[in-house]
Amino acid sequence: MALILQRDGEIIAIERLDRQHHSNNTGADTIIQNIWTYLALPPAGNGRPGDTPIWIRQHDAALLLSTGQSGVSWRENARKLQRAKHSAPEDKRLDIMWGLNLYVRLLQSMSERDEWLSQKEWDSIEHEIEDICLARLPGLSEIPEMKLATAKLMIFINRGHTDRAELLIDEALQKSASFATIVSLRGQISANRGHIREACALYDEAITLSDPGSEFYIYLHVLKAAAFRAGAQHEELATLSAMFRQHLPVAHQQLKMLLEPDFEIDPSEPIWNGTELTSTTAQSMLQHLFRIFGRHFEHRRHRKNIMDRPIQILTGLFSESVVSDEIRASICRA
């Protein structure tokens, strides 16, 4: 007997069901793996304008197939990727997807109490991401979606590869119609270079192509919020923050340091993951904000705009020791 999985008329997987010898094994693990592959990998062809970027497809796939409610996706994706690489070690896409999962691991590092990363651990993961990107560049010529994924990773790790990332985006545009992803990446590069208004216009273009309420839609608004904060556009940021507070309260709580122009925090209440607010927690929060958002802006004033208010509040509650040397060197004049 065989089970045929289809979606919109497209066959996702065909799985043999073994009922011999009174076995109850129906190949459930393989079926779930095939569903994950279908959901996580970009669709065949040259893409469509509003297609979700692969790094968000992976996240969505893991959450859909996971029984947990934490919103943490990197663990589930690590398991799925390890199995996929074992089954198809020659598939070059899986290495880039592993790099994307490491990226998500960094994003989600404050979401679990026992998984916070030291700066040394963070740097080690970014070094692995960089090695993956550079090693796989020669094999990306016919895979535009993976070029976009590699560009995303190169932008994020902030190790001097922005020009190469820009070239990959331009090359991908020749074969891919995934315009929302392309425009969002160009928006990030523009914002990082200090062209805030241009970046926000690009983000708006991507937002119009994305599905309202989707993870991609939320992601684009977070990027726009970072640009607003960097550019000291506080009225626009307050409006965006109000939208998050009303429609996405959990995301708003997690991103308050970025979203709230006049950020405040109640030291008697635990932060979003249930952890008590201590000087150690405060230092990790500032470092996380800086690594995810602040450090990417090339202009000191933009980095300072991202970090100033959170630093003011958290040093007021604790001391100057919660600000790392890395942050201090980045936002202070020489």
PDB file of all heavy atoms in Angstrom, residues 130 154-155 157-165:
ATOM      1  N   GLU A 130      30.079  32.017   7.685  1.00  0.00           N
ATOM      2  CA  GLU A 130      30.952  32.603   6.666  1.00  0.00           C
ATOM      3  C   GLU A 130      31.648  31.519   5.856  1.00  0.00           C
ATOM      4  O   GLU A 130      31.718  31.598   4.613  1.00  0.00           O
ATOM      5  CB  GLU A 130      31.982  33.511   7.330  1.00  0.00           C
ATOM      6  CG  GLU A 130      32.906  34.215   6.341  1.00  0.00           C
ATOM      7  CD  GLU A 130      33.893  35.131   7.049  1.00  0.00           C
ATOM      8  OE1 GLU A 130      34.360  34.769   8.161  1.00  0.00           O
ATOM      9  OE2 GLU A 130      34.210  36.196   6.486  1.00  0.00           O
ATOM     10  N   MET A 154      25.477  36.823   4.242  1.00  0.00           N
ATOM     11  CA  MET A 154      26.650  37.699   4.157  1.00  0.00           C
ATOM     12  C   MET A 154      26.360  39.081   4.738  1.00  0.00           C
ATOM     13  O   MET A 154      27.219  39.694   5.379  1.00  0.00           O
ATOM     14  CB  MET A 154      27.105  37.824   2.702  1.00  0.00           C
ATOM     15  CG  MET A 154      27.793  36.581   2.170  1.00  0.00           C
ATOM     16  SD  MET A 154      28.338  36.798   0.460  1.00  0.00           S
ATOM     17  CE  MET A 154      29.621  35.526   0.371  1.00  0.00           C
ATOM     18  N   ILE A 155      25.151  39.568   4.508  1.00  0.00           N
ATOM     19  CA  ILE A 155      24.767  40.859   5.089  1.00  0.00           C
ATOM     20  C   ILE A 155      24.725  40.747   6.605  1.00  0.00           C
ATOM     21  O   ILE A 155      25.225  41.617   7.328  1.00  0.00           O
ATOM     22  CB  ILE A 155      23.397  41.306   4.535  1.00  0.00           C
ATOM     23  CG1 ILE A 155      23.497  41.630   3.041  1.00  0.00           C
ATOM     24  CG2 ILE A 155      22.880  42.530   5.302  1.00  0.00           C
ATOM     25  CD1 ILE A 155      22.149  41.788   2.354  1.00  0.00           C
ATOM     26  N   ILE A 157      26.178  38.601   8.839  1.00  0.00           N
ATOM     27  CA  ILE A 157      27.375  38.344   9.644  1.00  0.00           C
ATOM     28  C   ILE A 157      28.293  39.559   9.705  1.00  0.00           C
ATOM     29  O   ILE A 157      29.193  39.610  10.548  1.00  0.00           O
ATOM     30  CB  ILE A 157      28.153  37.113   9.146  1.00  0.00           C
ATOM     31  CG1 ILE A 157      28.618  37.291   7.700  1.00  0.00           C
ATOM     32  CG2 ILE A 157      27.306  35.850   9.302  1.00  0.00           C
ATOM     33  CD1 ILE A 157      29.484  36.144   7.177  1.00  0.00           C
ATOM     34  N   ASN A 158      28.089  40.527   8.795  1.00  0.00           N
ATOM     35  CA  ASN A 158      28.758  41.825   8.943  1.00  0.00           C
ATOM     36  C   ASN A 158      30.283  41.698   8.931  1.00  0.00           C
ATOM     37  O   ASN A 158      30.983  42.307   9.740  1.00  0.00           O
ATOM     38  CB  ASN A 158      28.299  42.476  10.260  1.00  0.00           C
ATOM     39  CG  ASN A 158      28.416  43.988  10.252  1.00  0.00           C
ATOM     40  OD1 ASN A 158      28.061  44.630   9.268  1.00  0.00           O
ATOM     41  ND2 ASN A 158      28.929  44.553  11.326  1.00  0.00           N
ATOM     42  N   ARG A 159      30.777  40.908   7.967  1.00  0.00           N
ATOM     43  CA  ARG A 159      32.218  40.665   7.905  1.00  0.00           C
ATOM     44  C   ARG A 159      32.826  41.149   6.591  1.00  0.00           C
ATOM     45  O   ARG A 159      33.761  40.546   6.062  1.00  0.00           O
ATOM     46  CB  ARG A 159      32.497  39.177   8.113  1.00  0.00           C
ATOM     47  CG  ARG A 159      32.116  38.700   9.506  1.00  0.00           C
ATOM     48  CD  ARG A 159      32.592  37.297   9.786  1.00  0.00           C
ATOM     49  NE  ARG A 159      32.351  36.937  11.189  1.00  0.00           N
ATOM     50  CZ  ARG A 159      32.988  35.963  11.822  1.00  0.00           C
ATOM     51  NH1 ARG A 159      33.901  35.252  11.196  1.00  0.00           N
ATOM     52  NH2 ARG A 159      32.713  35.690  13.080  1.00  0.00           N
ATOM     53  N   GLY A 160      32.293  42.238   6.056  1.00  0.00           N
ATOM     54  CA  GLY A 160      32.889  42.846   4.877  1.00  0.00           C
ATOM     55  C   GLY A 160      32.500  42.228   3.555  1.00  0.00           C
ATOM     56  O   GLY A 160      33.223  42.404   2.560  1.00  0.00           O
ATOM     57  N   HIS A 161      31.364  41.518   3.516  1.00  0.00           N
ATOM     58  CA  HIS A 161      30.957  40.849   2.278  1.00  0.00           C
ATOM     59  C   HIS A 161      29.760  41.522   1.604  1.00  0.00           C
ATOM     60  O   HIS A 161      29.127  40.920   0.738  1.00  0.00           O
ATOM     61  CB  HIS A 161      30.602  39.389   2.570  1.00  0.00           C
ATOM     62  CG  HIS A 161      31.723  38.579   3.137  1.00  0.00           C
ATOM     63  ND1 HIS A 161      32.911  38.370   2.462  1.00  0.00           N
ATOM     64  CD2 HIS A 161      31.840  37.924   4.326  1.00  0.00           C
ATOM     65  CE1 HIS A 161      33.714  37.616   3.210  1.00  0.00           C
ATOM     66  NE2 HIS A 161      33.088  37.345   4.345  1.00  0.00           N
ATOM     67  N   THR A 162      29.449  42.758   1.980  1.00  0.00           N
ATOM     68  CA  THR A 162      28.242  43.402   1.451  1.00  0.00           C
ATOM     69  C   THR A 162      28.302  43.575  -0.062  1.00  0.00           C
ATOM     70  O   THR A 162      27.298  43.352  -0.760  1.00  0.00           O
ATOM     71  CB  THR A 162      28.017  44.768   2.125  1.00  0.00           C
ATOM     72  OG1 THR A 162      27.869  44.565   3.536  1.00  0.00           O
ATOM     73  CG2 THR A 162      26.759  45.427   1.587  1.00  0.00           C
ATOM     74  N   ASP A 163      29.450  43.976  -0.603  1.00  0.00           N
ATOM     75  CA  ASP A 163      29.558  44.156  -2.055  1.00  0.00           C
ATOM     76  C   ASP A 163      29.316  42.827  -2.779  1.00  0.00           C
ATOM     77  O   ASP A 163      28.661  42.801  -3.838  1.00  0.00           O
ATOM     78  CB  ASP A 163      30.933  44.714  -2.423  1.00  0.00           C
ATOM     79  CG  ASP A 163      31.103  46.169  -2.002  1.00  0.00           C
ATOM     80  OD1 ASP A 163      30.091  46.816  -1.681  1.00  0.00           O
ATOM     81  OD2 ASP A 163      32.260  46.645  -1.972  1.00  0.00           O
ATOM     82  N   ARG A 164      29.833  41.752  -2.231  1.00  0.00           N
ATOM     83  CA  ARG A 164      29.616  40.427  -2.834  1.00  0.00           C
ATOM     84  C   ARG A 164      28.144  40.045  -2.737  1.00  0.00           C
ATOM     85  O   ARG A 164      27.570  39.474  -3.681  1.00  0.00           O
ATOM     86  CB  ARG A 164      30.491  39.389  -2.127  1.00  0.00           C
ATOM     87  CG  ARG A 164      30.519  38.022  -2.813  1.00  0.00           C
ATOM     88  CD  ARG A 164      31.064  38.146  -4.233  1.00  0.00           C
ATOM     89  NE  ARG A 164      31.210  36.871  -4.899  1.00  0.00           N
ATOM     90  CZ  ARG A 164      32.311  36.124  -4.833  1.00  0.00           C
ATOM     91  NH1 ARG A 164      33.345  36.540  -4.118  1.00  0.00           N
ATOM     92  NH2 ARG A 164      32.382  35.000  -5.495  1.00  0.00           N
ATOM     93  N   ALA A 165      27.528  40.363  -1.612  1.00  0.00           N
ATOM     94  CA  ALA A 165      26.099  40.078  -1.436  1.00  0.00           C
ATOM     95  C   ALA A 165      25.277  40.848  -2.469  1.00  0.00           C
ATOM     96  O   ALA A 165      24.330  40.304  -3.066  1.00  0.00           O
ATOM     97  CB  ALA A 165      25.657  40.446  -0.024  1.00  0.00           C
TER      98      ALA A 165
END
